[in-house]
Amino acid sequence: MEVTEQVAALAQRPLKRGDSFIVDFGRHMAGYVSFKLSGTGEAVDSPVRLRVTFGEAPADVAVPLESYTGTLSRAWLPDEILNVDFLPRRVEVPRRHAFRWVKFDVIDTSPNFAVHFERIEARAVTSAIMEPAPLPAGTPEALRSIDRVSLNTLRDCMQTVFEDGPRRDRRLWVGDLRLQALTNYVSFRNFDLVKRCLYLFAGLPREDGLVAACVYDDPGPKCGRQFIMDYAVLYIAALLDYVKAAKDQQTARELWPVVRKQVELVSQFINADGLFADPGGWWIFIDWREELEKTASMHGVLLFCLKQAVELAGHAGQQADAAKYQALIHRMTAAGRTRFFDSARNVFVSGPQGQVSWASQAWMVMSGLATPEMGAVALRNAMKMPDAVRPGTPYLYHYMVEAMLLSGLRKEALDLLSSYWGGMVAAGADTFWEIYDPSDPMLSPYKSILVNSYCHAWSCTPSYFLRGLQLGRTAG
Amino acid sequence: MEVTEQVAALAQRPLKRGDSFIVDFGRHMAGYVSFKLSGTGEAVDSPVRLRVTFGEAPADVAVPLESYTGTLSRAWLPDEILNVDFLPRRVEVPRRHAFRWVKFDVIDTSPNFAVHFERIEARAVTSAIMEPAPLPAGTPEALRSIDRVSLNTLRDCMQTVFEDGPRRDRRLWVGDLRLQALTNYVSFRNFDLVKRCLYLFAGLPREDGLVAACVYDDPGPKCGRQFIMDYAVLYIAALLDYVKAAKDQQTARELWPVVRKQVELVSQFINADGLFADPGGWWIFIDWREELEKTASMHGVLLFCLKQAVELAGHAGQQADAAKYQALIHRMTAAGRTRFFDSARNVFVSGPQGQVSWASQAWMVMSGLATPEMGAVALRNAMKMPDAVRPGTPYLYHYMVEAMLLSGLRKEALDLLSSYWGGMVAAGADTFWEIYDPSDPMLSPYKSILVNSYCHAWSCTPSYFLRGLQLGRTAG
């Protein structure tokens, strides 16, 4: 994007049928756009028809939306058709949009007049009020940029809930919430918002008590009617993180029944051997990679969350439950080491074909099933294998970095963070994206980048690593 | 238009991408539409994109607007694109529209849900509050229908000003105002609205004092910057009508300077012979017929308005001005009879080619230049001539009917009214149209019927004739 003139000059420029311009607001935001529209000419004698298109990324305002052939609803495309009756008038686009660039197309005036745009304003909204502390002195500029973009991402996703993305789908998802909350604790520190989200999930479960994968908060709180096995148990981790960060044991006690219910519902899929066995018919997320074999990862997620539950039981005063979980943890750890570790190749494998993936390594480490030494070897080996299934989303990249840190691979973790998130910064990102594959800039799970979300909460965790885990110090 | 089901049944009908329906609100109105939109299905997981199209006439919702190639701005087309974020929600279309039929197109939901429309409501707005008196007993049903449609037309044009049409251009025009006000005096009797309009024109003239052809009232009162010679002097007639109907001599006195200025500015185009001589460069309206030669008509309009000014001078206490006008009236009457009457053919003619038109006859009669006997003969002769230029608009049909009444042709006047306005009723009109030519249903001054106005104030005067001039009694 090249700046051609300052926005104030627009007021002098008459625009007629077919004319257009793009305004760069200088930063990404979730918010509202308004402008004054006036007319000059022989007679301002008809309504004006405008199209306003909101771009998170330059492609959003550069690619004709008519070309859209993605799999998601066309209603996600971020454009508005506005008819304005009488000029001059202040026009407010009523919907909230996520944008940095806004394209204005004059579809039609009448032949007798042209329109002028003045005082084009954006009003950003967020519930990230507090100013984050500065990064430690000596943090390299490249990491400062990554931190800034991470915080922008989180800020614009923090609304009445932690949205996954302010463009799409503007929903609260368990898996995203956990990563946002972790970053929030070391930046904006809005504890009440996390608490509200935890209670929303607790209050809107499936009939049997399973935590929903997502909830809606508009026009009122509502269960999202989608259920993801790994997300349901990750609720436990999100709750423990909160209880520790906010020092709020009262909430731990109140929400303990939700924790117990998740363990009860999901641990039934641990078979007599102590292994996770996919019952079929469930959505197990882990990552967006169709080819990913998820058995080892799901085993790891559940084991990780059982350990979180044990720690949480201490805060909630639920030692009896904790003891039962400990027994399960032992069985799963022992069985998992045997089943998922390929001692010939020194990597964790999953499924009948022994698939190697970054996801399996990450979750074997996160769960503690891998010792740090095993983990370090497995992670390094898997990352060197060209056929290993790599992550599809920043969400899984987060757990890769976290697993590397747990395995003592600080330098490698920082390198991965710097190359992956730094790649988005180098590509001009203001906020981190839902999807990023350095080798495929047109990648979209929806078969069109026009509906990709370019401010997506699950990619905001570099600030957690840099601030909460002092990863930046590794750089020195 | 055929009714396929009752609107309540819609709430049960799921609608998805590409589905549409048309609601018939049972009557024309100017107003606002709102509805409740809800979703059903696996997950209501995306915004909804709708198109709402407002029809005054069935063609408005039956002809694809994409086919529009008219000369007016595309922004006049009565459709809205609405994006609705979260369901269920009440949706209000923010702009005022003129409609009886509304088409709803579902552009897209997501594959996971369908939408339902409930409680589709319209709120009509008007400043025509008072209930008109019933027509005299014994008025034939055909005339009652014409009266009803006339009053509907006037009602929907009465807003903060007398609009020419609530669809387009929603402006106050002098020529239209006079006809609306005449009808208003014998129906809704909102005298304050007329007074407001007269003062708007008085307060927003051209720099030299000429009354503008139109004014805008939104976002605030503003001169329309269009000037029509015949409309400027017809302001005098509109003022006199008001002063007599409202018995408001105070306004006559206050606005007399406006009257004097119009006479001064327009009478300079009366040459030494006492004839109107077109100075060129002026818009003289009279009617929408490109081929119409307007010299005789304009002579007649000015002479008519001078006589109105003389009568008004009596209310305003301006006898000195009146005496000057009388002198001009005598010269114009004598000169006009010589110049414009073709005694061989017994019709009034206009221009170097001696063009015969209904317009010339009408205004020669209206002006009193033609005696009732001359007028009756001339009107009958012209209407029989196949080559005579016929009216293009209901506006001129009004003056034809009025001229026929002045000439004692009550039966013929009623026949013309019954056939012309009755023709629109027979064609299904709820309100009378801007343009109607029984021989050409696709006629549009804008080269597309999609921007014709189907509720147009200058066609509302049948109620004036039936109520104010008791024309219906002629039927017996």
Side-chain angles (χ1 to χ4, degrees):
Chain A
M1 302 296 266
E2 193 182 316
V3 174
T4 53
E5 66 181 334
Q6 294 305 303
V7 72
L10 265 176
Q12 265 63 57
R13 194 202 299 174
L15 294 148
K16 306 200 64 158
R17 179 191 296 183
D19 291 340
S20 69
F21 61 92
I22 295 170
V23 174
D24 177 357
F25 282 94
R27 57 161 264 206
H28 186 282
M29 68 189 87
Y32 301 88
V33 161
S34 63
F35 51 90
K36 184 183 165 191
L37 195 67
S38 57
T40 55
E42 200 182 316
V44 185
D45 58 359
S46 82
V48 179
R49 197 165 171 99
L50 304 174
R51 182 180 194 172
V52 186
T53 308
F54 294 83
E56 295 192 291
D60 294 333
V61 290
V63 177
L65 299 187
E66 288 71 18
S67 69
Y68 179 70
T69 52
T71 55
L72 291 186
S73 169
R74 196 241 170 275
W76 281 117
L77 294 182
D79 67 319
E80 305 280 354
I81 303 291
L82 302 176
N83 296 307
V84 186
D85 277 322
F86 297 99
L87 305 186
R89 176 149 293 177
R90 186 134 199 103
V91 180
E92 312 214 358
V93 182
R95 293 168 82 210
R96 206 194 77 191
H97 282 276
F99 60 96
R100 169 174 169 175
W101 294 280
V102 179
K103 183 174 189 201
F104 295 83
D105 286 289
V106 178
I107 297 176
D108 213 349
T109 60
S110 88
N112 299 322
F113 74 103
V115 287
H116 296 257
F117 290 77
E118 295 167 67
R119 289 181 41 229
I120 303 178
E121 294 172 359
R123 181 167 60 85
V125 290
T126 176
S127 54
I129 304 302
M130 194 152 129
E131 190 67 26
L135 280 176
T139 308
E141 186 48 41
L143 294 179
R144 288 184 182 276
S145 296
I146 290 174
D147 178 67
R148 192 165 52 244
V149 176
S150 292
L151 296 184
N152 290 349
T153 307
L154 180 57
R155 174 198 67 210
D156 293 345
C157 292
M158 286 172 69
Q159 303 294 337
T160 62
V161 294
F162 285 94
E163 297 181 4
D164 56 339
R167 168 189 284 186
R168 211 210 76 244
D169 351 273
R170 302 173 56 174
R171 264 179 259 169
L172 170 63
W173 293 82
V174 176
D176 308 57
L177 168 64
R178 174 165 192 255
L179 303 193
Q180 289 171 285
L182 283 174
T183 309
N184 168 57
Y185 302 139
V186 296
S187 57
F188 302 112
R189 298 176 64 76
N190 186 340
F191 298 112
D192 284 347
L193 185 64
V194 183
K195 186 175 177 180
R196 176 167 196 266
C197 292
L198 291 168
Y199 274 89
L200 280 171
F201 280 117
L204 298 163
R206 195 166 71 179
E207 291 70 14
D208 62 358
L210 190 86
V211 163
C214 66
V215 301
Y216 292 88
D217 196 32
D218 194 338
K222 194 174 70 178
C223 175
R225 305 306 308 168
Q226 300 194 64
F227 305 97
I228 302 179
M229 193 188 290
D230 43 329
Y231 273 28
V233 288
L234 280 166
Y235 178 86
I236 302 166
L239 177 57
L240 175 62
D241 297 336
Y242 166 76
V243 167
K244 292 199 289 186
K247 300 181 176 45
D248 180 358
Q249 297 205 327
Q250 168 69 16
T251 293
R253 283 190 294 274
E254 279 195 9
L255 296 181
W256 183 258
V258 183
V259 174
R260 184 190 288 134
K261 180 56 76 177
Q262 305 317 302
V263 173
E264 175 192 323
L265 288 169
V266 178
S267 65
Q268 66 182 305
F269 306 122
I270 302 301
N271 66 18
D273 297 332
L275 290 168
F276 170 72
D278 188 342
W282 276 78
W283 182 7
I284 298 171
F285 177 64
I286 306 298
D287 187 27
W288 265 337
R289 278 287 186 210
E290 283 199 20
E291 65 273 33
L292 181 64
E293 214 298 327
K294 298 175 177 175
T295 310
S297 297
M298 187 62 224
H299 187 95
V301 170
L302 177 54
L303 183 50
F304 169 74
C305 293
L306 283 167
K307 291 179 173 180
Q308 304 282 302
V310 168
E311 184 175 347
L312 191 56
H315 296 281
Q318 298 286 345
Q319 302 312 332
D321 282 334
K324 283 190 286 180
Y325 303 164
Q326 282 291 12
L328 188 54
I329 288 167
H330 290 307
R331 285 174 50 223
M332 285 182 72
T333 303
R337 278 192 186 144
T338 306
R339 174 70 186 83
F340 300 120
F341 194 67
D342 178 340
S343 52
R345 294 194 286 170
N346 272 324
V347 288
F348 290 97
V349 295
S350 185
Q353 312 299 322
Q355 184 191 73
V356 178
S357 66
W358 292 29
S360 295
Q361 316 311 312
W363 282 109
M364 291 291 98
V365 171
M366 289 292 299
S367 70
L369 184 151
T371 62
E373 298 72 27
M374 284 171 77
V377 171
L379 284 164
R380 279 181 166 147
N381 283 341
M383 290 173 77
K384 271 185 261 172
M385 291 180 184
D387 292 347
V389 178
R390 298 170 59 92
T393 61
Y395 173 77
L396 182 57
Y397 272 98
H398 165 89
Y399 284 109
M400 273 300 288
V401 173
E402 195 168 347
M404 292 163 92
L405 291 174
L406 285 172
S407 307
L409 303 178
R410 282 185 78 83
K411 172 73 172 62
E412 290 86 340
L414 182 61
D415 287 347
L416 183 59
L417 182 148
S418 297
S419 66
Y420 185 69
W421 279 273
M424 285 188 259
V425 172
D430 250 352
T431 47
F432 286 128
W433 308 340
E434 176 181 20
I435 294 293
Y436 171 59
D437 182 337
S439 67
D440 183 5
M442 301 301 277
L443 183 68
S444 168
Y446 323 109
K447 302 204 189 329
S448 168
I449 59 165
L450 292 175
V451 287
N452 281 8
S453 163
Y454 290 96
C455 173
H456 217 71
W458 67 18
S459 65
C460 77
T461 57
S463 291
Y464 165 68
F465 294 121
L466 295 170
R467 293 165 173 273
L469 305 184
Q470 281 82 44
L471 186 57
R473 296 210 184 148
T474 313
Chain B
M1 303 294 266
E2 192 182 317
V3 175
T4 53
E5 65 182 333
Q6 293 305 302
V7 73
L10 266 175
Q12 264 63 57
R13 194 202 301 174
L15 294 147
K16 305 201 66 157
R17 177 189 297 181
D19 289 340
S20 69
F21 61 92
I22 295 169
V23 175
D24 177 357
F25 283 94
R27 58 161 262 207
H28 186 282
M29 68 189 87
Y32 300 89
V33 160
S34 64
F35 50 91
K36 183 182 166 192
L37 194 67
S38 57
T40 55
E42 201 182 315
V44 185
D45 58 358
S46 82
V48 179
R49 197 165 171 97
L50 305 174
R51 182 179 194 173
V52 186
T53 307
F54 294 83
E56 293 193 291
D60 295 332
V61 290
V63 177
L65 298 186
E66 288 70 19
S67 70
Y68 179 69
T69 53
T71 55
L72 291 186
S73 169
R74 195 239 170 278
W76 281 118
L77 295 182
D79 66 319
E80 307 279 354
I81 304 290
L82 303 176
N83 295 306
V84 186
D85 278 323
F86 297 99
L87 305 186
R89 177 149 291 175
R90 185 134 200 104
V91 179
E92 311 215 358
V93 182
R95 294 167 81 212
R96 205 194 78 190
H97 282 275
F99 59 95
R100 169 173 169 175
W101 293 279
V102 179
K103 183 175 187 200
F104 296 82
D105 286 290
V106 178
I107 297 175
D108 212 351
T109 60
S110 87
N112 300 322
F113 73 102
V115 287
H116 296 257
F117 290 78
E118 295 167 68
R119 287 179 44 227
I120 304 178
E121 293 173 358
R123 181 167 59 85
V125 290
T126 177
S127 55
I129 304 301
M130 193 153 132
E131 190 67 28
L135 281 176
T139 307
E141 188 47 41
L143 294 180
R144 289 183 180 277
S145 296
I146 290 173
D147 177 68
R148 190 164 53 242
V149 175
S150 292
L151 295 183
N152 291 348
T153 307
L154 180 58
R155 174 197 67 208
D156 292 346
C157 292
M158 286 172 71
Q159 303 295 336
T160 63
V161 295
F162 284 94
E163 297 181 4
D164 56 339
R167 166 189 286 187
R168 210 209 77 246
D169 352 270
R170 303 173 53 173
R171 266 180 258 168
L172 169 63
W173 293 81
V174 176
D176 307 56
L177 168 63
R178 174 166 192 257
L179 303 193
Q180 290 171 287
L182 283 174
T183 309
N184 168 56
Y185 303 138
V186 296
S187 56
F188 302 111
R189 298 176 63 78
N190 185 340
F191 297 111
D192 284 347
L193 186 65
V194 183
K195 187 175 177 180
R196 177 167 194 266
C197 293
L198 291 167
Y199 274 89
L200 280 171
F201 280 117
L204 298 164
R206 196 165 71 179
E207 292 70 12
D208 63 357
L210 191 86
V211 163
C214 65
V215 300
Y216 293 88
D217 195 32
D218 193 339
K222 192 173 72 177
C223 174
R225 304 307 307 168
Q226 299 195 64
F227 304 97
I228 301 178
M229 193 188 289
D230 43 329
Y231 274 27
V233 289
L234 281 167
Y235 178 84
I236 302 166
L239 178 56
L240 175 63
D241 297 337
Y242 166 75
V243 167
K244 292 198 291 186
K247 300 183 174 51
D248 179 357
Q249 296 206 328
Q250 168 68 14
T251 293
R253 284 189 294 275
E254 278 195 8
L255 295 181
W256 183 257
V258 182
V259 174
R260 184 192 288 133
K261 179 58 77 177
Q262 305 317 302
V263 173
E264 176 193 322
L265 288 169
V266 178
S267 66
Q268 65 183 303
F269 306 122
I270 301 302
N271 67 16
D273 298 333
L275 290 169
F276 171 71
D278 189 343
W282 276 78
W283 182 6
I284 297 169
F285 177 65
I286 306 297
D287 188 27
W288 265 337
R289 277 289 185 208
E290 284 198 21
E291 65 272 34
L292 180 64
E293 216 296 330
K294 298 175 178 176
T295 311
S297 297
M298 186 61 223
H299 187 94
V301 170
L302 177 54
L303 183 52
F304 168 74
C305 292
L306 283 166
K307 291 180 173 177
Q308 304 282 301
V310 168
E311 184 175 348
L312 192 55
H315 295 282
Q318 299 287 345
Q319 301 312 331
D321 282 335
K324 282 192 288 181
Y325 302 164
Q326 280 292 9
L328 188 54
I329 288 167
H330 288 308
R331 284 174 50 224
M332 286 181 71
T333 303
R337 277 190 186 149
T338 306
R339 174 69 187 84
F340 299 120
F341 194 66
D342 179 339
S343 53
R345 293 195 285 171
N346 271 326
V347 286
F348 289 97
V349 294
S350 184
Q353 313 301 321
Q355 184 191 72
V356 178
S357 68
W358 291 30
S360 295
Q361 317 311 312
W363 282 109
M364 290 291 99
V365 171
M366 288 295 298
S367 70
L369 185 152
T371 61
E373 297 71 28
M374 285 170 77
V377 170
L379 283 164
R380 280 183 163 146
N381 282 341
M383 290 175 75
K384 270 185 261 171
M385 291 182 186
D387 292 347
V389 178
R390 298 170 60 94
T393 62
Y395 173 77
L396 182 57
Y397 272 98
H398 165 88
Y399 284 110
M400 274 299 288
V401 173
E402 194 167 346
M404 292 163 90
L405 291 174
L406 285 172
S407 306
L409 304 178
R410 283 186 78 83
K411 173 71 172 60
E412 290 86 343
L414 183 60
D415 286 349
L416 183 59
L417 182 148
S418 298
S419 66
Y420 185 69
W421 279 272
M424 287 188 259
V425 172
D430 249 352
T431 48
F432 287 128
W433 308 341
E434 177 182 19
I435 295 292
Y436 172 59
D437 181 339
S439 66
D440 182 5
M442 298 303 276
L443 183 68
S444 168
Y446 323 110
K447 304 206 189 324
S448 168
I449 58 165
L450 292 175
V451 286
N452 281 7
S453 163
Y454 290 94
C455 172
H456 218 70
W458 69 16
S459 66
C460 77
T461 56
S463 291
Y464 165 68
F465 293 121
L466 295 171
R467 292 162 175 274
L469 304 184
Q470 279 82 45
L471 185 56
R473 297 211 184 148
T474 313

